[in-house]
């Protein structure tokens, strides 16, 4: 969901907006140099200008405010700053738009707790309350909306293990021309969600049932196959593997599979080679290191310890 193309798209919508110009400069510095003091200073400057504009209602164009807000969330997350606290304000702006649903859909994906770690703000349950009950594919996540309905239900505490097990994409979707391996990655999300429901702390000790270990093995088979296919075909959909592979990596104790996940993260985030708290690879390496030492550590507790909020998508 967040990538360089996102920055280009939303940046082009509001490049003349002062905080956005500053945010794009900050993003480029983060891409080149990681969380360097210079880059972080530009991020702080961009956020300060944006918040000042928001409070002062200097900009009355809601589309520009939303585009800027989405961009600010992205840049703040990349810098390791808290960002989910902005979602409530962005939702209010989206609701005031003439055509609110497209922006509400995007916000719903950002608000989905099932793939957020270290979150310090309360969930808004946007998908469950404003987006559920529709068919087709969500253009922001490239996932079927019926599957997203189940993921949102999992966040609310509903027991949906069996419903996930039985889930299949709508016939109307299956009959359309889909990119290769699309069905496989959708089922990877289904399997990962089943594990998340069964082991919400994403710790291997929570997998007490052979059913769960079978699902984990199946998930690894799917994500490994999907990744190799993407590499072979130079697919633009490589990033969709992130959440399923993080779920699988948190629940496995096999070093070979952890190494595979580390290689995937290195290829997906080549500019994040050095240690950085907001770097997903750094977070996973620390998680695995602590677990090898016998320490009970979860990904979410580690993110909170490092004071970062990350969207794993």
């Amino acid at each position: 969901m967040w990538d360089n193309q996102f920055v280009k798209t939303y940046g082009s919508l509001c490049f003349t907006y002062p905080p956005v110009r500053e945010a794009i400069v900050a993003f480029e510095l983060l891409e080149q140099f990681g969380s360097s003091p210079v880059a972080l200073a530009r991020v702080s400057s961009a956020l300060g200008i944006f918040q000042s504009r928001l409070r002062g209602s200097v900009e009355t164009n809601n589309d520009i405010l939303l585009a800027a807000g989405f961009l600010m969330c992205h840049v703040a997350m990349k810098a390791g700053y808290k960002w989910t606290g902005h979602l409530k304000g962005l939702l209010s702006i989206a609701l005031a738009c003439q055509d609110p649903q497209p922006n509400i859909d995007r916000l719903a994906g950002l608000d989905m707790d099932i793939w957020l770690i270290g979150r310090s703000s309360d969930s808004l349950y946007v998908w469950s309350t404003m987006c559920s009950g529709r068919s087709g594919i969500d253009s922001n996540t490239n996932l079927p909306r019926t599957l997203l309905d189940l993921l949102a239900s999992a966040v609310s505490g509903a027991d949906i293990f069996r419903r996930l097990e039985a889930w299949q994409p709508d016939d109307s979707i299956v009959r359309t021309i889909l990119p290769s391996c699309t069905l496989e990655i959708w089922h990877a999300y289904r399997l990962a969600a089943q594990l998340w429901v069964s082991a919400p702390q994403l710790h291997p000790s929570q997998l007490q049932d052979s059913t769960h270990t079978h699902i984990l093995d199946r998930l690894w088979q799917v994500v490994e196959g999907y990744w190799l296919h993407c590499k072979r075909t130079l697919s633009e959909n490589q990033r969709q593997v992130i959440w399923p592979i993080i779920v699988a990596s948190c629940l496995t104790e096999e070093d070979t599979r952890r190494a595979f996940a580390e290689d995937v993260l290195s290829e997906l985030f080549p500019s994040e080679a050095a240690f950085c708290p907001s770097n997903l690879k750094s977070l996973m390496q620390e998680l695995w290191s602590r677990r090898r030492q016998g320490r009970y550590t979860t990904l979410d507790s580690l993110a909170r310890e490092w004071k970062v909020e990350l969207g794993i998508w």
Side-chain angles (χ1 to χ4, degrees):
M1 194 182 300
W2 294 122
D3 54 21
N4 291 359
Q5 186 57 47
F6 174 88
V7 173
K8 292 176 183 176
T9 300
Y10 275 82
S12 66
L13 289 176
C14 50
F15 185 73
T16 58
Y17 195 37
V20 169
R21 290 200 302 270
E22 189 77 359
I24 291 175
V25 171
F27 179 82
E28 291 172 347
L29 289 171
L30 289 167
E31 282 283 285
Q32 294 179 45
F33 307 112
S35 298
S36 66
V38 173
L40 293 180
R42 297 303 287 263
V43 173
S44 297
S45 173
L47 289 170
I49 296 171
F50 176 66
Q51 289 165 354
S52 175
R53 291 267 175 145
L54 202 58
R55 287 193 300 269
S57 299
V58 174
E59 180 56 65
T60 57
N61 186 314
N62 285 333
D63 291 330
I64 290 179
L65 278 176
L66 279 171
F70 288 141
L71 187 60
M72 291 299 157
C73 287
H74 181 30
V75 174
M77 180 171 68
K78 192 171 184 65
Y81 292 5
K82 300 293 180 69
W83 58 275
T84 62
H86 299 300
L87 297 181
K88 187 174 183 179
L90 292 177
L91 178 59
S92 298
I93 297 170
L95 289 170
C97 290
Q98 189 171 3
D99 182 18
Q101 197 60 52
N103 284 314
I104 290 174
D105 287 350
R106 178 170 287 279
L107 272 167
L110 305 184
D111 180 56
M112 193 84 75
D113 275 349
I114 200 167
W115 50 53
L116 289 178
I117 57 172
R119 183 170 189 166
S120 59
S121 65
D122 293 333
S123 177
L124 303 177
Y125 303 106
V126 177
W127 189 275
S128 295
T129 57
M130 301 182 190
C131 305
S132 62
R134 293 180 292 165
S135 59
I137 300 173
D138 173 56
S139 61
N140 300 299
T141 59
N142 292 320
L143 294 174
R145 291 192 178 99
T146 53
L147 180 57
L148 287 166
D149 287 352
L150 291 176
L151 299 186
S153 297
V155 170
S156 66
D159 184 5
I160 60 163
F161 185 89
R162 296 302 175 195
R163 291 170 61 194
L164 283 164
E165 187 173 43
W167 178 85
Q168 293 290 334
D170 301 339
D171 289 341
S172 59
I173 294 177
V174 175
R175 287 195 297 268
T176 61
I177 299 175
L178 297 170
S180 182
C181 283
T182 297
L183 292 176
E184 284 82 352
I185 197 63
W186 288 351
H187 283 292
Y189 273 75
R190 176 183 65 83
L191 294 167
Q194 282 188 282
L195 292 170
W196 191 90
V197 168
S198 305
Q201 297 299 315
L202 296 182
H203 193 279
S205 64
Q206 292 184 295
L207 299 182
Q208 304 292 340
D209 194 312
S210 60
T211 300
H212 299 152
T213 55
H214 174 74
I215 292 172
L216 180 59
D217 287 340
R218 177 64 184 139
L219 176 58
W220 273 113
Q221 292 171 13
V222 174
V223 296
E224 287 171 352
Y226 180 80
W227 178 253
L228 293 175
H229 171 82
C230 287
K231 293 276 290 178
R232 191 167 55 249
T233 60
L234 302 178
S235 171
E236 296 179 354
N237 297 319
Q238 291 181 347
R239 291 178 64 92
Q240 273 205 291
V241 81
I242 295 175
W243 184 66
I245 206 169
I246 291 299
V247 170
S249 301
C250 286
L251 292 170
T252 193
E253 297 181 288
E254 297 179 34
D255 285 338
T256 53
R257 282 178 162 167
R258 288 175 175 175
F260 174 81
E262 190 170 344
D263 289 342
V264 170
L265 293 176
S266 295
E267 292 200 39
L268 288 174
F269 306 106
S271 63
E272 298 182 349
F275 171 84
C276 173
S278 62
N279 179 336
L280 184 56
K281 180 181 173 182
S282 295
L283 204 67
M284 292 303 297
Q285 287 174 328
E286 179 66 16
L287 178 74
W288 293 326
S289 174
R290 293 189 185 189
R291 287 184 176 177
R292 289 190 189 99
Q293 298 168 22
R295 299 166 64 182
Y296 186 97
T297 307
T298 69
L299 190 60
D300 191 68
S301 66
L302 182 57
R304 292 176 186 277
E305 178 186 326
W306 285 5
K307 296 181 172 59
V308 295
E309 294 179 322
L310 292 180
I312 311 175
W313 44 62

